[in-house]
Amino acid sequence: MKKTGIDWKNLGYGYTQTDVSYISYWKEGGWDEGVLTPETTVTISIGSTALHYGQECFEGLKAQRAKDGGILLFRPDQNAKRLNNSARGILIPEVPEEMFINACLQVVKANQRWVPPYRTGASLYLRPFLFGHGDNLGAKPADEYMFCIYCSPVGPYFKGGLKPIHLCVSNDDRAAPRGTGALKIGGNYAGGLRIRSEAKKAGFDDCLFLDAQTRTYIDELGGANFFGITANRRLVTPQSPSILPSITRRSVMEIADTYLDIPSEERPVPITEIDEFVEAGACGTASIIAPIGSIFYEGTRHTFYGNGQDVGPVTQQLYDTLTAIQCGDHDAPEGWMVEV
Ligand SMILES: Cc1ncc(COP(=O)(O)O)c(C=O)c1O
């Protein structure tokens, strides 16, 4: 197999061109068989609804190298279900779950040399996406759709390994009440670009969004869900209709309950309660688990474990167990890991 020349241990979180992507077309009521292609561009009509009205939804999942050299996908069925939930929300035809998983497997198999070695902290990120295209003018659903998957090897999302990140509470909102916050659609992220870029310019790693209706409860970060750990070792995570239902978060809650004897609860979390957490973290496919060192809110810096400088023991335990599961070193609940 031709070498990639990548320095895996120092790989950042960005785009690297791989060998092939997957494309399937939907027209007149059905998806075609789909093909793998070396093309890295798509040509679509200038009237495409994806370009004008954001009729686009996407997913993100990772393939990891196991100790024996095999390759594992983490819960792709959950990404298929969430993609279809997003698709229903913006009137895009659904992709059958089997077709989704099969396409992911094809992409990983054909790009095997881009799957980083075991335990380098890097992985192969898959980006499945669905969008409306074709000649169109008005704000209505497209007549034609594409389902594509491309992939890229990635290093850690937040630089510096398992090191606390620092957040500010945003004065702007990510998602409207009863809006589209729970869908993984392009428009939600376009709306967050300026807000997150301002937080970064101000020296923070990301911002934390509050619920838009009352601005009193924690919603989530721009690209990850939030969790806090109480002094009596309980994992608390926000319940909100406008956050993206994170697959990592659901997995972390199950890991905490099943393997670590840490009870988890999902409930509204008032921002005024943050000082009750001894540890806090962000979780998502890209960030895995990132300890939160501090949250800046209304002029005060609220710090967590080790005065915001250290990784707390529960966060470390969650991280260690999740990453061990993802590369096949730890038992996983039935059906989580899919061998490529
Ligand atoms: C807004 C937002 N919240 C949460 C997450 C985490 O979700 P998951 O764990 O399924 O990657 C993501 C990433 O996909 C996200 O974009």
Side-chain angles (χ1 to χ4, degrees):
M1 221 183 287
K2 210 172 131 206
K3 289 231 170 6
T4 60
I6 293 180
D7 173 8
W8 298 111
K9 288 220 177 276
N10 293 309
L11 180 65
Y13 196 89
Y15 178 85
T16 301
Q17 188 178 326
T18 58
D19 298 331
V20 291
S21 307
Y22 171 93
I23 298 191
S24 172
Y25 291 89
W26 185 98
K27 208 173 171 176
E28 290 162 3
W31 293 104
D32 69 12
E33 286 220 322
V35 286
L36 291 178
T37 165
E39 291 296 328
T40 53
T41 56
V42 288
T43 303
I44 55 172
S45 165
I46 54 175
S48 293
T49 56
L51 299 177
H52 304 277
Y53 307 117
Q55 200 189 16
E56 187 267 355
C57 55
F58 65 101
E59 273 305 321
L61 68 160
K62 285 176 172 172
Q64 302 275 357
R65 184 77 67 180
K67 198 174 195 170
D68 65 2
I71 301 174
L72 298 167
L73 276 178
F74 184 67
R75 309 192 75 179
D77 59 320
Q78 298 302 309
N79 294 94
K81 288 186 174 69
R82 192 171 62 187
L83 184 72
N84 284 332
N85 188 48
S86 302
R88 284 192 294 275
I90 53 172
L91 299 181
I92 292 183
E94 293 179 36
V95 172
E97 193 170 309
E98 204 186 318
M99 173 176 164
F100 177 96
I101 295 175
N102 188 23
C104 289
L105 293 173
Q106 285 185 50
V107 170
V108 177
K109 266 188 200 147
N111 288 298
Q112 273 184 54
R113 70 192 184 103
W114 300 97
V115 180
Y118 170 69
R119 293 271 192 186
T120 44
S123 52
L124 186 72
Y125 181 85
L126 305 190
R127 167 53 56 81
F129 60 111
L130 261 176
F131 61 93
H133 71 104
D135 300 336
N136 181 65
L137 187 67
K140 61 178 175 55
D143 293 325
E144 295 173 55
Y145 294 88
M146 281 167 79
F147 168 49
C148 310
I149 305 179
Y150 74 98
C151 64
S152 177
V154 292
Y157 185 68
F158 291 111
K159 291 187 201 86
L162 199 58
K163 188 181 108 193
I165 57 166
H166 301 276
L167 310 178
C168 60
V169 171
S170 171
N171 290 325
D172 297 303
D173 299 318
R174 170 186 172 274
R178 295 169 293 279
T180 56
L183 309 181
K184 202 163 169 67
I185 59 177
N188 287 345
Y189 295 81
L193 290 177
R194 176 189 56 78
I195 307 171
R196 297 177 74 191
S197 136
E198 283 172 6
K200 283 180 191 166
K201 266 191 216 141
F204 298 99
D205 295 294
D206 203 342
C207 55
L208 185 67
F209 290 101
L210 300 182
D211 77 291
Q213 181 142 353
T214 69
R215 297 196 53 79
T216 52
Y217 295 101
I218 295 178
D219 253 2
E220 63 173 325
L221 284 76
N225 279 181
F226 173 88
F227 68 84
I229 307 293
T230 60
N232 60 350
R233 255 173 81 90
R234 291 182 78 83
L235 186 151
V236 180
T237 179
Q239 184 177 50
S240 160
S242 22
I243 65 177
L244 188 81
S246 158
I247 295 162
T248 313
R249 174 175 82 155
R250 210 175 322 136
S251 308
V252 163
M253 290 172 77
E254 205 171 322
I255 288 170
D257 284 325
T258 314
Y259 300 116
L260 305 176
D261 204 18
I262 298 170
S264 66
E265 56 184 281
E266 196 179 343
R267 59 161 169 87
V269 180
I271 181 71
T272 49
E273 266 184 26
I274 46 173
D275 290 330
E276 286 174 24
F277 296 126
V278 291
E279 296 177 41
C283 58
T285 298
S287 45
I288 315 176
I289 286 177
I292 298 175
S294 67
I295 298 176
F296 189 78
Y297 174 56
E298 290 191 339
T300 305
R301 187 169 170 262
H302 300 260
T303 56
F304 300 99
Y305 195 78
N307 203 21
Q309 304 302 312
D310 295 327
V311 184
V314 175
T315 307
Q316 183 76 52
Q317 235 183 333
L318 292 170
Y319 176 86
D320 290 345
T321 315
L322 175 65
T323 50
I325 286 176
Q326 289 178 331
C327 66
D329 285 348
H330 190 290
D331 293 344
E334 180 78 25
W336 276 23
M337 304 311 299
V338 174
E339 270 182 61
V340 177

